[in-house]
Amino acid sequence: MYYDLHLHSCLSPCAEDEMTPNNICNMAMLKGLDLIALTDHNSTKQLPAFAKVADSLGLSVLYGCELESAEEVHVLGLFNQLEKALRFQEWIDEKLPFIQNDENYFGKQEICNEKDEVIEKLQGLLIVSLNASLEACVQAIHDYGGKVILAHVLDRQNSITHQLGFIPQDLAYDGIEVKKEEEIERVLKMHPWIQKDSTHWFIDSDAHRLVDMSEKEHAMEDSVYQMLWGDTT
C-alpha cells in the first residue's frame, strides 16, 4: 500500500491554511495514496474531522501526532484507532506547557470540522517541548496502544541524531523515518547496531503544504502494516 504517514494540518502553526481535513484527504486520493496519517505537533485534536472525511472517501488512515520531547527530539505516535489517539491527548495535555501563541509570528492553530469550517483556535503554542523525556514519550505512546516512529532522523532540526548525536541502542522505537532511500545507508553507517532488514523504515513527506505530500512511490507491505497496526484491541 502506498503511504504518507507524516502530514500536518492547519492545526500545526507551521502548516499552511490550505491543510484542512478535506484538502489533505482529497489530495491523498488524487495522488493515489492508500494510507495516510495526520500528525500535528503535540496534538490529536484535528483527528475527529480527519477521520470523518477519510471514512467518507474510503481512505485508510492512522491517527497520529508528532511529539517534541524535552530533548527537542521529534517522534511520531501512530494509533490504529481514533479512540486511542484521543485518549492519548490527555497525557499530552499534562505534559504540554502553556505558552501563549502569537499567530502573527508562529502561525494560526485552527481546528476544523468535517466541512473544513474553523470551529476552534488553540491559544497555547503547540511547537514547544513537552515536559517529558524522549524515553517517557516513547513509553507513553506504547502505553496508550500506539507505535513509535523516530521522525526525520537525519534532519538538522529536531531529529534524534541532531539533538542526541545518535540513536540509543536500548530505545524502544518501532520504526525509523527518513526523507529519501539513500538516507538509510547513512543511518546504518552511523549505527552499526541497527539491522537494516529487521528495522521498519518509512519515507514520509512531513508535508506542511498540499504540494509537498508524497506521490505514489513509497509502498508498505501488508504484512508490515499488520505487524505494527493490525491489532484492533
Side-chain angles (χ1 to χ4, degrees), residues 13-185:
C14 44
E16 297 292 326
D17 294 347
E18 66 185 6
M19 295 296 280
T20 61
N22 276 280
N23 284 347
I24 291 171
C25 291
N26 279 287
M27 181 61 77
M29 297 291 288
L30 287 172
K31 286 175 174 279
L33 299 178
D34 303 302
L35 174 69
I36 61 172
L38 187 62
T39 54
D40 282 311
H41 290 289
N42 290 328
S43 183
T44 66
K45 293 183 178 181
Q46 192 77 274
L47 292 178
F50 171 70
K52 288 181 180 179
V53 175
D55 184 64
S56 71
L57 295 173
L59 179 64
S60 295
V61 299
L62 291 170
Y63 309 98
C65 56
E66 182 174 27
L67 301 185
E68 182 175 316
S69 74
E71 301 89 346
E72 300 184 1
V73 174
H74 283 185
V75 294
L76 302 180
L78 298 177
F79 301 83
N80 62 0
Q81 293 181 14
L82 176 61
E83 292 75 14
K84 292 179 182 178
L86 296 182
R87 284 197 299 270
F88 186 57
Q89 183 65 47
E90 299 173 4
W91 182 88
I92 296 174
D93 289 341
E94 292 177 357
K95 306 299 182 183
L96 184 67
F98 183 83
I99 299 172
Q100 180 67 43
N101 180 39
D102 180 354
E103 67 177 35
N104 293 319
Y105 184 81
F106 295 106
K108 292 179 285 187
Q109 299 181 152
E110 296 180 334
I111 299 175
C112 297
N113 62 18
E114 65 273 18
K115 298 179 181 179
D116 288 352
E117 298 167 333
V118 177
I119 58 174
E120 184 179 357
K121 283 189 178 184
L122 294 190
Q123 299 303 310
L125 183 62
L126 294 175
I127 48 173
V128 297
S129 295
L130 299 175
N131 294 319
S133 68
L134 175 60
E135 290 78 7
C137 290
V138 169
Q139 184 63 53
I141 292 169
H142 286 153
D143 287 346
Y144 281 79
K147 298 299 182 181
V148 175
I149 310 299
L150 302 179
H152 44 70
V153 295
L154 292 181
D155 274 13
R156 293 183 61 81
Q157 186 174 15
N158 298 118
S159 72
I160 191 168
T161 60
H162 186 261
Q163 298 304 119
L164 303 186
F166 65 101
I167 300 172
Q169 294 188 52
D170 59 351
L171 188 64
Y173 57 86
D174 301 291
I176 297 176
E177 179 189 75
V178 294
K179 291 292 187 66
K180 46 192 174 182
E181 188 80 27
E182 50 265 37
E183 288 187 352
I184 295 175
E185 295 304 322

